[in-house]
Amino acid sequence: MKILIGKEANEFLEKLNLNVAYYETARNLEEATKKLSRFSFPMVLKLISKDALHKTEIGGVKVVKTKEGFEEAFENLREAAKIGKIKFEEVLLQEFVEGLELIVGLKKDTTFGHVVMLGLGGIYVEALHDVSFRVCPINEKDASEMINDLKAKEVILSKRKKFDVERLKKVLVKLSKIPQKMKDIAELDINPLMLSEEGTKAVDVRIIFD
Ligand code: ADP
Ligand code: MG
């Protein structure tokens, strides 16, 4: 089994021309400080480690509102790592992305083979249990149906917000074609994928191979 997170997972998506939130990585405060000028505020710092796949739970996600708050947030991550006995190896610096939080991904089902998944993300995931699946690969019409399956379709297709639904469909189609070339992909999770008027951006990515 192999697992990709952080930079490696982002690079995997970038190679497929799937948009990810702008990011840099750093191993220590000095490196991070040097790269800080490439970001505006707010920005986000994340502790990336295979020992901590749920970053929020261990205090591994910090929104940095101002330049002045940066060092303290970085130290907080180091502290969180120490408390959680997590190896401090990679910090992800990431742009703050506005949008509707969605979950998209792939799973290998024992009956159906690879399936592609779409759901509403963020705080609604567990509360609403609103997800839609299709067997891979899918076309854009299937992707439309997946959106229409959701209780949240009214939100995604909202006339007021004008989310880039065409782009979302393209992301689903593209993801659904990955297993054709990579049969050993067991799981791909983008949670959240931020959907806005401008398109989509993957904010948190995890990929597992058999
Ligand atoms: P984890 O799922 O491991 O706890 P995430 O990277 O998904 O960590 O971050 C947790 C939550 O924080 C996300 O679901 C999202 O609500 C918010 N968040 C994380 N990164 C960003 C970002 N770059 N821009 C906006 N919100 C973010
Ligand atoms: Mg997440």
Side-chain angles (χ1 to χ4, degrees):
M1 197 182 96
K2 191 174 87 165
I3 175 160
L4 303 182
I5 52 173
K7 180 181 160 72
E8 287 183 332
N10 277 321
E11 283 173 349
F12 181 94
L13 292 188
E14 287 178 297
K15 273 186 204 141
L16 296 166
N17 280 318
L18 288 161
N19 287 338
V20 304
Y22 178 75
Y23 70 97
E24 296 284 351
T25 58
R27 282 165 300 176
N28 52 53
L29 181 60
E30 197 193 345
E31 256 182 47
T33 306
K34 272 189 197 147
K35 292 175 174 173
L36 193 59
S37 63
R38 300 172 199 176
F39 292 86
S40 57
F41 295 93
M43 56 90 69
V44 182
L45 290 180
K46 293 182 189 179
L47 183 61
I48 304 297
S49 167
K50 286 174 189 171
D51 302 333
L53 295 180
H54 302 286
K55 297 176 284 299
T56 308
E57 274 173 27
I58 55 121
V61 178
K62 301 282 170 205
V63 178
V64 184
K65 294 197 178 112
T66 63
K67 195 165 170 248
E68 290 67 41
F70 172 71
E71 253 187 68
E72 191 187 335
F74 197 95
E75 285 313 319
N76 286 343
L77 280 193
R78 208 195 293 279
E79 198 70 11
K82 203 187 265 174
I83 292 166
K85 297 194 170 63
I86 293 152
K87 228 197 284 166
F88 192 86
E89 35 191 7
E90 181 182 315
V91 171
L92 197 73
L93 293 79
Q94 196 175 50
E95 69 168 316
F96 186 91
V97 185
E98 308 267 4
L100 179 66
E101 292 197 32
L102 300 174
I103 297 183
V104 300
L106 296 170
K107 277 191 181 32
K108 202 183 213 169
D109 183 273
T110 43
T111 311
F112 299 109
H114 284 101
V115 293
V116 58
M117 194 257 281
L118 168 68
L120 200 59
I123 50 172
Y124 305 109
V125 182
E126 266 112 65
L128 297 182
H129 205 78
D130 194 18
V131 284
S132 167
F133 291 94
R134 287 292 183 284
V135 175
C136 295
I138 62 164
N139 58 32
E140 291 208 14
K141 191 167 158 283
D142 301 319
S144 291
E145 286 174 15
M146 285 180 80
I147 295 166
N148 278 309
D149 277 355
L150 297 178
K151 294 176 211 153
K153 74 170 175 194
E154 314 284 351
V155 184
I156 296 173
L157 301 172
S158 155
K159 294 223 167 54
R160 230 158 23 98
K161 273 286 187 187
K162 293 209 179 65
F163 290 122
D164 190 348
V165 177
E166 288 310 307
R167 183 66 213 165
L168 173 61
K169 284 193 233 164
K170 289 200 168 73
V171 170
L172 290 168
V173 170
K174 207 169 243 188
L175 287 177
S176 80
K177 288 178 177 167
I178 295 175
Q180 290 179 325
K181 287 187 182 152
M182 288 177 208
K183 302 239 181 298
D184 62 340
I185 198 156
E187 210 178 302
L188 186 152
D189 266 297
I190 308 178
N191 179 13
L193 176 84
M194 294 290 194
L195 175 65
S196 71
E197 288 88 336
E198 276 105 63
T200 63
K201 278 182 184 176
V203 160
D204 183 29
V205 190
R206 184 178 66 190
I207 306 161
I208 301 172
F209 297 91
D210 287 332

